[in-house]
Amino acid sequence: MIKTFKIFLSLIFITQILFANISKPTIQKEEKGEVLIGYYGRPHAASLGILGENNIDELVKKMKKKKAYFDKELNHKMDVKLAFHIIYSLATKDPGRKKDYLLTMSDSILMKYIKRAQKENFLVFIDLQLGTQTPAEAIKPVLKYLKYENVHLAIDPEFKIPKHRGYPPGKYIGHIFAWQLNEAQDLISDYLIANNIIQRKKLIVHMFHKRMLRNKDEVKTHDNIELIYNIDGHGTGQVKVKIYNGLYAISQTNKAVGGFKIFYNNDKKPIMTPKQIMGLEPVGNQKIMIKPYYINYH
């Protein structure tokens, strides 16, 4: 009888321990994620974005102030990094000597920003509006800049026009196909391998409409390239979030990380807050489904 009673007490003790372990909350250490903030534009061209509104010293000050703002708003839970996002090839109404409707930037100006970015521990995105060029044709002349560890690339299908058409960029919304993006990625990947560049490079693709990148399911991925789908429609915060979720968060997370663009002058006020952009708070009845990795300010 005594032996049976002892066994009964033991079972009660074990049961209490099991239930205590189940009810006790498990505290998991949250890994600190990374968010990249880019200031977009073209040097000495204030109308094209915030990057060109100030000289490089004032620009750096503004960017560091923005970083401090994000750090505070996100309670220092994210590793906030900064980037110059520079329009290298600019689409124009004039076809130019090469008939490609593009105005490129001088090496000396670009290198000024690359070197300053190295000093500040910033990244640099070389942004390529396409004109009559394919993504691969646009990228080929700037591959040499990938030797710099902080340099990455971006392509903008909005200003793509067919070579056989007689209208300038911007008249209609341009587009590219998955095979063209794949061709550009192959070019980048082969260059990195041939030049023993082991760093993974980022490649941004801008879009605000589903037809700007066609046949998305056929887009390839590369181990040495990180694709970023930068959703850059403007309007109210609710509309922007709906476009972002529709074009990226619902179906494209297996191909690329997300990007989100803020237009200081074109978006409807109030400008979205860091918590809203990161999906921590809703905007009206809309909420970011998958937090973006890249946030660029125009």
Side-chain angles (χ1 to χ4, degrees), residues 18 35 37 92 101 133 142 148 164 175 204 220 254 273 275 285-286:
L18 288 172
V35 59
I37 299 173
T92 67
Y101 290 88
Q133 293 183 337
V142 298
Y148 299 103
H164 64 281
H175 65 271
I204 290 174
K220 297 191 302 184
N254 63 325
T273 68
K275 288 180 180 178
N285 63 356
Q286 297 289 328

Side-chain angles (χ1 to χ4, degrees), residues 7-204:
I7 292 172
F8 178 72
L9 288 178
S10 298
L11 288 171
I12 292 174
F13 180 69
I14 292 169
T15 302
Q16 288 175 334
I17 291 174
L18 288 172
F19 275 98
N21 287 338
I22 291 170
S23 61
K24 185 177 180 180
T26 302
I27 300 173
Q28 294 181 337
K29 186 177 180 182
E30 183 180 351
E31 292 186 11
K32 194 170 186 179
E34 181 178 300
V35 59
L36 178 62
I37 299 173
Y39 270 38
Y40 174 95
R42 188 174 171 98
H44 316 302
S47 63
L48 296 176
I50 191 170
L51 183 139
E53 291 179 1
N54 303 99
N55 64 50
I56 197 167
D57 293 326
E58 289 299 317
L59 175 65
V60 168
K61 289 179 184 178
K62 284 189 174 183
M63 293 174 69
K64 289 182 176 179
K65 186 176 180 180
K66 180 67 74 176
K67 178 186 182 321
Y69 171 56
F70 265 76
D71 282 334
K72 181 181 178 181
E73 289 294 303
L74 300 177
N75 298 315
H76 298 272
K77 291 182 178 179
M78 301 289 289
D79 184 9
V80 180
K81 296 189 176 181
L82 299 172
F84 294 141
H85 192 136
I86 301 170
I87 305 171
Y88 175 84
S89 58
L90 176 68
T92 67
K93 292 182 178 180
D94 183 358
R97 181 173 54 85
K98 296 180 180 179
K99 307 297 181 184
D100 57 9
Y101 290 88
L102 294 171
L103 179 64
T104 57
M105 181 180 293
S106 71
D107 177 77
S108 61
I109 293 176
L110 181 57
M111 284 307 304
K112 177 182 177 181
Y113 281 80
I114 290 175
K115 290 178 179 178
R116 183 60 181 269
Q118 289 173 329
K119 179 181 176 182
E120 302 292 347
N121 197 28
F122 291 2
L123 301 186
V124 175
F125 285 102
I126 299 174
D127 198 283
L128 304 161
Q129 297 179 0
L130 296 176
T132 62
Q133 293 183 337
T134 66
E137 289 171 341
I139 282 171
K140 192 171 182 179
V142 298
L143 285 173
K144 60 185 179 182
Y145 295 109
L146 294 180
K147 66 184 178 183
Y148 299 103
E149 188 176 342
N150 63 332
V151 173
H152 305 268
L153 302 177
I155 54 177
D156 193 346
E158 179 181 358
F159 301 102
K160 176 78 178 77
I161 57 173
K163 292 183 179 180
H164 64 281
R165 295 293 175 90
Y167 56 81
K171 185 173 182 180
Y172 304 104
I173 298 172
H175 65 271
I176 60 173
F177 292 91
W179 70 264
Q180 293 175 312
L181 178 55
N182 292 339
E183 183 182 49
Q185 288 194 89
D186 290 342
L187 188 67
I188 295 169
S189 181
D190 290 346
Y191 179 85
L192 297 177
I193 293 169
N195 290 273
N196 298 312
I197 300 172
I198 60 174
Q199 179 198 13
R200 198 171 187 224
K201 292 294 184 178
K202 305 179 194 301
L203 176 61
I204 290 174

Side-chain angles (χ1 to χ4, degrees), residues 273-282 287-292:
T273 68
K275 288 180 180 178
Q276 290 173 331
I277 297 170
M278 298 302 291
L280 301 174
E281 292 181 353
K287 188 176 180 181
I288 292 282
M289 293 172 60
I290 302 292
K291 64 184 179 184

